mmCIF file with all atom_site columns, all heavy atoms in Angstrom:
data_model
loop_
_atom_site.group_PDB
_atom_site.id
_atom_site.type_symbol
_atom_site.label_atom_id
_atom_site.label_alt_id
_atom_site.label_comp_id
_atom_site.label_asym_id
_atom_site.label_entity_id
_atom_site.label_seq_id
_atom_site.pdbx_PDB_ins_code
_atom_site.Cartn_x
_atom_site.Cartn_y
_atom_site.Cartn_z
_atom_site.occupancy
_atom_site.B_iso_or_equiv
_atom_site.pdbx_formal_charge
_atom_site.auth_seq_id
_atom_site.auth_comp_id
_atom_site.auth_asym_id
_atom_site.auth_atom_id
_atom_site.pdbx_PDB_model_num
ATOM 1  N N   . VAL C 1 539 ? 19.866 -2.145 10.514 1.00 90.00 ? 539 VAL C N   1
ATOM 2  C CA  . VAL C 1 539 ? 19.632 -1.570 9.213  1.00 90.00 ? 539 VAL C CA  1
ATOM 3  C C   . VAL C 1 539 ? 18.411 -2.209 8.560  1.00 90.00 ? 539 VAL C C   1
ATOM 4  O O   . VAL C 1 539 ? 18.247 -3.431 8.552  1.00 90.00 ? 539 VAL C O   1
ATOM 5  C CB  . VAL C 1 539 ? 20.865 -1.764 8.305  1.00 90.00 ? 539 VAL C CB  1
ATOM 6  C CG1 . VAL C 1 539 ? 20.583 -1.210 6.882  1.00 90.00 ? 539 VAL C CG1 1
ATOM 7  C CG2 . VAL C 1 539 ? 22.049 -1.052 8.901  1.00 90.00 ? 539 VAL C CG2 1
ATOM 8  N N   . ILE C 1 540 ? 17.544 -1.384 8.003  1.00 94.00 ? 540 ILE C N   1
ATOM 9  C CA  . ILE C 1 540 ? 16.391 -1.877 7.242  1.00 94.00 ? 540 ILE C CA  1
ATOM 10 C C   . ILE C 1 540 ? 16.788 -2.172 5.835  1.00 94.00 ? 540 ILE C C   1
ATOM 11 O O   . ILE C 1 540 ? 17.426 -1.353 5.177  1.00 94.00 ? 540 ILE C O   1
ATOM 12 C CB  . ILE C 1 540 ? 15.211 -0.853 7.276  1.00 94.00 ? 540 ILE C CB  1
ATOM 13 C CG1 . ILE C 1 540 ? 14.801 -0.570 8.707  1.00 94.00 ? 540 ILE C CG1 1
ATOM 14 C CG2 . ILE C 1 540 ? 14.022 -1.395 6.469  1.00 94.00 ? 540 ILE C CG2 1
ATOM 15 C CD1 . ILE C 1 540 ? 13.763 0.526  8.820  1.00 94.00 ? 540 ILE C CD1 1
ATOM 16 N N   . ASN C 1 541 ? 16.436 -3.335 5.321  1.00 95.00 ? 541 ASN C N   1
ATOM 17 C CA  . ASN C 1 541 ? 16.692 -3.671 3.924  1.00 95.00 ? 541 ASN C CA  1
ATOM 18 C C   . ASN C 1 541 ? 16.077 -2.594 3.036  1.00 95.00 ? 541 ASN C C   1
ATOM 19 O O   . ASN C 1 541 ? 14.885 -2.372 3.035  1.00 95.00 ? 541 ASN C O   1
ATOM 20 C CB  . ASN C 1 541 ? 16.101 -5.048 3.611  1.00 95.00 ? 541 ASN C CB  1
ATOM 21 C CG  . ASN C 1 541 ? 16.510 -5.576 2.253  1.00 95.00 ? 541 ASN C CG  1
ATOM 22 O OD1 . ASN C 1 541 ? 16.823 -4.820 1.359  1.00 95.00 ? 541 ASN C OD1 1
ATOM 23 N ND2 . ASN C 1 541 ? 16.490 -6.880 2.102  1.00 95.00 ? 541 ASN C ND2 1
ATOM 24 N N   . PRO C 1 542 ? 16.907 -1.945 2.202  1.00 95.00 ? 542 PRO C N   1
ATOM 25 C CA  . PRO C 1 542 ? 16.350 -0.874 1.356  1.00 95.00 ? 542 PRO C CA  1
ATOM 26 C C   . PRO C 1 542 ? 15.196 -1.295 0.463  1.00 95.00 ? 542 PRO C C   1
ATOM 27 O O   . PRO C 1 542 ? 14.327 -0.514 0.082  1.00 95.00 ? 542 PRO C O   1
ATOM 28 C CB  . PRO C 1 542 ? 17.563 -0.466 0.497  1.00 95.00 ? 542 PRO C CB  1
ATOM 29 C CG  . PRO C 1 542 ? 18.757 -0.736 1.377  1.00 95.00 ? 542 PRO C CG  1
ATOM 30 C CD  . PRO C 1 542 ? 18.341 -2.015 2.086  1.00 95.00 ? 542 PRO C CD  1
ATOM 31 N N   . TYR C 1 543 ? 15.167 -2.578 0.068  1.00 95.00 ? 543 TYR C N   1
ATOM 32 C CA  . TYR C 1 543 ? 14.076 -3.031 -0.757 1.00 95.00 ? 543 TYR C CA  1
ATOM 33 C C   . TYR C 1 543 ? 12.721 -2.913 -0.044 1.00 95.00 ? 543 TYR C C   1
ATOM 34 O O   . TYR C 1 543 ? 11.673 -2.796 -0.677 1.00 95.00 ? 543 TYR C O   1
ATOM 35 C CB  . TYR C 1 543 ? 14.291 -4.493 -1.214 1.00 95.00 ? 543 TYR C CB  1
ATOM 36 C CG  . TYR C 1 543 ? 15.366 -4.600 -2.286 1.00 95.00 ? 543 TYR C CG  1
ATOM 37 C CD1 . TYR C 1 543 ? 16.700 -4.849 -1.935 1.00 95.00 ? 543 TYR C CD1 1
ATOM 38 C CD2 . TYR C 1 543 ? 15.052 -4.425 -3.609 1.00 95.00 ? 543 TYR C CD2 1
ATOM 39 C CE1 . TYR C 1 543 ? 17.670 -4.936 -2.900 1.00 95.00 ? 543 TYR C CE1 1
ATOM 40 C CE2 . TYR C 1 543 ? 16.015 -4.539 -4.606 1.00 95.00 ? 543 TYR C CE2 1
ATOM 41 C CZ  . TYR C 1 543 ? 17.336 -4.769 -4.252 1.00 95.00 ? 543 TYR C CZ  1
ATOM 42 O OH  . TYR C 1 543 ? 18.301 -4.848 -5.193 1.00 95.00 ? 543 TYR C OH  1
ATOM 43 N N   . LYS C 1 544 ? 12.771 -2.956 1.327  1.00 93.00 ? 544 LYS C N   1
ATOM 44 C CA  . LYS C 1 544 ? 11.542 -2.795 2.088  1.00 93.00 ? 544 LYS C CA  1
ATOM 45 C C   . LYS C 1 544 ? 11.119 -1.336 2.228  1.00 93.00 ? 544 LYS C C   1
ATOM 46 O O   . LYS C 1 544 ? 10.049 -1.032 2.714  1.00 93.00 ? 544 LYS C O   1
ATOM 47 C CB  . LYS C 1 544 ? 11.689 -3.426 3.456  1.00 93.00 ? 544 LYS C CB  1
ATOM 48 C CG  . LYS C 1 544 ? 11.894 -4.955 3.398  1.00 93.00 ? 544 LYS C CG  1
ATOM 49 C CD  . LYS C 1 544 ? 11.978 -5.544 4.788  1.00 93.00 ? 544 LYS C CD  1
ATOM 50 C CE  . LYS C 1 544 ? 12.124 -7.087 4.697  1.00 93.00 ? 544 LYS C CE  1
ATOM 51 N NZ  . LYS C 1 544 ? 12.198 -7.719 6.029  1.00 93.00 ? 544 LYS C NZ  1
ATOM 52 N N   . LEU C 1 545 ? 12.003 -0.445 1.836  1.00 94.00 ? 545 LEU C N   1
ATOM 53 C CA  . LEU C 1 545 ? 11.706 0.982  1.933  1.00 94.00 ? 545 LEU C CA  1
ATOM 54 C C   . LEU C 1 545 ? 11.253 1.613  0.603  1.00 94.00 ? 545 LEU C C   1
ATOM 55 O O   . LEU C 1 545 ? 10.972 2.780  0.517  1.00 94.00 ? 545 LEU C O   1
ATOM 56 C CB  . LEU C 1 545 ? 12.966 1.754  2.409  1.00 94.00 ? 545 LEU C CB  1
ATOM 57 C CG  . LEU C 1 545 ? 13.438 1.414  3.818  1.00 94.00 ? 545 LEU C CG  1
ATOM 58 C CD1 . LEU C 1 545 ? 14.746 2.085  4.136  1.00 94.00 ? 545 LEU C CD1 1
ATOM 59 C CD2 . LEU C 1 545 ? 12.404 1.755  4.861  1.00 94.00 ? 545 LEU C CD2 1
ATOM 60 N N   . LEU C 1 546 ? 11.206 0.770  -0.432 1.00 93.00 ? 546 LEU C N   1
ATOM 61 C CA  . LEU C 1 546 ? 10.693 1.268  -1.725 1.00 93.00 ? 546 LEU C CA  1
ATOM 62 C C   . LEU C 1 546 ? 9.236  1.711  -1.549 1.00 93.00 ? 546 LEU C C   1
ATOM 63 O O   . LEU C 1 546 ? 8.454  1.032  -0.890 1.00 93.00 ? 546 LEU C O   1
ATOM 64 C CB  . LEU C 1 546 ? 10.802 0.226  -2.797 1.00 93.00 ? 546 LEU C CB  1
ATOM 65 C CG  . LEU C 1 546 ? 12.190 -0.087 -3.322 1.00 93.00 ? 546 LEU C CG  1
ATOM 66 C CD1 . LEU C 1 546 ? 12.146 -1.316 -4.212 1.00 93.00 ? 546 LEU C CD1 1
ATOM 67 C CD2 . LEU C 1 546 ? 12.784 1.116  -4.052 1.00 93.00 ? 546 LEU C CD2 1
#
Side-chain angles (χ1 to χ4, degrees):
V539 176
I540 301 174
N541 188 334
Y543 286 93
K544 295 183 178 180
L545 296 174
L546 287 171

